[in-house]
Structures are given as structure tokens and as C-alpha cells.
Amino acid sequence: MELAKPRVDIGLSTNDLQPMLRFWQEEAGIPFDHLLKIRRGQDQHRHDALGSVLKINHHADPLPDTPPAGYRELIVARPGLTAPKSLTDPDGNRVTLVPPGHEGVTQIGVRLAVRDLAAHRKFYTQGLGLTEESPGAFRAGETLLILEERPDAPADAGMQGKGWRYITFQVFKVDEEHARILEAGGRQAMPPTTLGTTARISMVRDPDGNWIEISQRASIVGTLETH
């Protein structure tokens, strides 16, 4: 996969906006960037995590009480730290601030629980085209995805519900990347769709059903043309 931005974004969903914003901006130290109105009843509060976007999706309607997805922890490199500092937001989402280089994280890392590391290794290397830097650690530009085989990993992760729900790769041509991922055995969750003049996006799912957004964003690549 040819990345248009050498960093991965991550999204969570919540019904409890103000405590979440206070935590992420004040305790975790992730600065607010701007508000994006997704649809009626859903606003996305976008924060800058060292060039990655932390997307806090606030839903007006109650979110279903569904099991967590495989995304379990955001790891953020923080200069000046001498040891990891683990925090939990008001909804129970985990974030750990670490000295740069801890576990190979120099920018951000995303920790995933998976049922079968071998199946995910095939998906992340052949489907997404990422490099495995060390066992279970896959490099996407500056971002590191850390996969750990765990018995509590989901068998069919859902998109709807509180907590970490998806990651986003910014690419130059979403239609081409989406087709290539499906050819390599990825599962389609949503075909390429144009969202006004902002972006053209699609969704695919990993072997455990975790949702992955593939995005062609006009502000990054300059066009939403498909060819």
C-alpha cells in the first residue's frame, strides 16, 4: 500500500463527550485540531497525535453495549519521559505515553489483540503491504502496529459501540488500494464511497473483523478522482 501520509489515524466512539475531551487534551496531552461534522448526530473531534489523527467520534444516540474490538491501546511517544505512563480515559480506553523508542514506537503505536497471529501476519504483509519489523510489529510509515495473540480477541469485531473501533490509512487512490486488498484476501466492509468534496473512503476488515478505513483525502492528495 502506498501511503499518502506516513502515519496511521485511529478512531474511537463515545456518548460522553466533555469528560473525554478533558482527558485527552489535558491528561493525555493530545491537542485539539478541529471539528468535523460527519452526519446528523455524529461529530468528530479531531486531535493531533504527532501527525496521526485521534478521532473522537461523539454520537448523540446511545451506542450499543457491544464487546470491544481488537484495538486495545494507543501508545504515544513523549520526549522527556524515562518510563511508560499508562492512563485510562473515562470510557475505559487505554493510552500509554512512552519514551521515544520504547517497543520500537517513535511516533505512535496501536496495540491489537488477535486470535491468530499467523493469519494476521499474512493480511498485514500481503493485504496491506506492511513490513514486519519484529515478530508481530508492523510498520506503516512512522506508526507501529503491535499485534499480540490473545484468547480474548474478538471473532467478529463490530464497528458500532464505545471505544477504539477503527484505524485509517491515507492513500493516493482508494479504489486501487481497496481492490488490491480484496484480491489479497481482505474482506470488504464498505465499497469506495465519496463524501462530498472531503474524501473518498472505503472499509475493509482484518481476519478478526476489525474495521480498517482506507481514505483518499482531498486535503492530502489534492483530488478525489478515481483514476
Side-chain angles (χ1 to χ4, degrees):
M1 178 160 48
E2 186 179 4
L3 297 177
K5 183 180 81 169
R7 304 167 196 94
V8 175
D9 305 327
I10 184 167
L12 62 79
S13 295
T14 185
N15 287 134
D16 202 9
L17 180 62
Q18 293 306 320
M20 292 287 280
L21 293 181
R22 282 196 296 272
F23 170 85
W24 285 102
Q25 294 170 19
E26 298 173 14
E27 292 189 49
I30 310 295
F32 174 73
D33 189 77
H34 69 278
L35 173 68
L36 178 63
K37 291 190 173 293
I38 303 296
R39 59 181 62 87
R40 184 180 178 87
Q42 181 184 350
D43 291 338
Q44 186 176 97
H45 298 256
R46 296 167 68 88
H47 293 67
D48 181 8
L50 303 176
S52 291
V53 181
L54 165 62
K55 307 173 186 180
I56 299 178
N57 292 286
H58 175 243
H59 296 258
D61 293 333
L63 289 161
D65 186 18
T66 53
Y71 305 111
R72 296 297 168 85
E73 181 183 17
L74 174 64
I75 306 166
V76 182
R78 184 65 52 85
L81 286 182
T82 57
K85 181 180 180 181
S86 296
L87 303 169
T88 305
D89 77 9
D91 280 359
N93 302 303
R94 292 166 46 198
V95 56
T96 301
L97 311 178
V98 301
H102 181 81
E103 286 193 88
V105 176
T106 56
Q107 184 245 355
I108 72 163
V110 178
R111 196 182 307 278
L112 287 84
V114 302
R115 291 181 302 152
D116 184 343
L117 182 56
H120 282 77
R121 175 176 289 117
K122 181 179 180 181
F123 174 79
Y124 279 89
T125 57
Q126 298 180 20
L128 298 183
L130 305 184
T131 299
E132 187 172 15
E133 261 189 15
S134 59
F138 299 85
R139 178 67 64 182
E142 299 172 6
T143 301
L144 196 64
L145 304 177
I146 303 171
L147 278 58
E148 298 176 348
E149 200 165 86
R150 293 177 52 126
D152 64 343
D156 188 24
M159 181 68 164
Q160 299 301 314
K162 294 181 181 179
W164 302 119
R165 289 293 159 177
Y166 65 103
I167 57 175
T168 302
F169 293 91
Q170 296 292 343
V171 302
F172 291 95
K173 295 292 184 182
V174 69
D175 292 73
E176 294 177 8
E177 298 292 356
H178 184 86
R180 190 185 59 76
I181 293 169
L182 298 188
E183 289 173 2
R187 287 189 283 163
Q188 176 169 277
M190 184 184 80
T193 303
T194 299
L195 304 178
T197 59
T198 302
R200 185 167 172 80
I201 69 169
S202 73
M203 289 279 192
V204 296
R205 302 178 76 184
D206 74 9
D208 285 348
N210 294 301
W211 289 58
I212 298 169
E213 181 183 32
I214 311 299
S215 171
Q216 179 181 337
R217 194 170 179 84
S219 62
I220 296 175
V221 302
T223 179
L224 299 184
E225 293 181 1
T226 59
H227 301 290

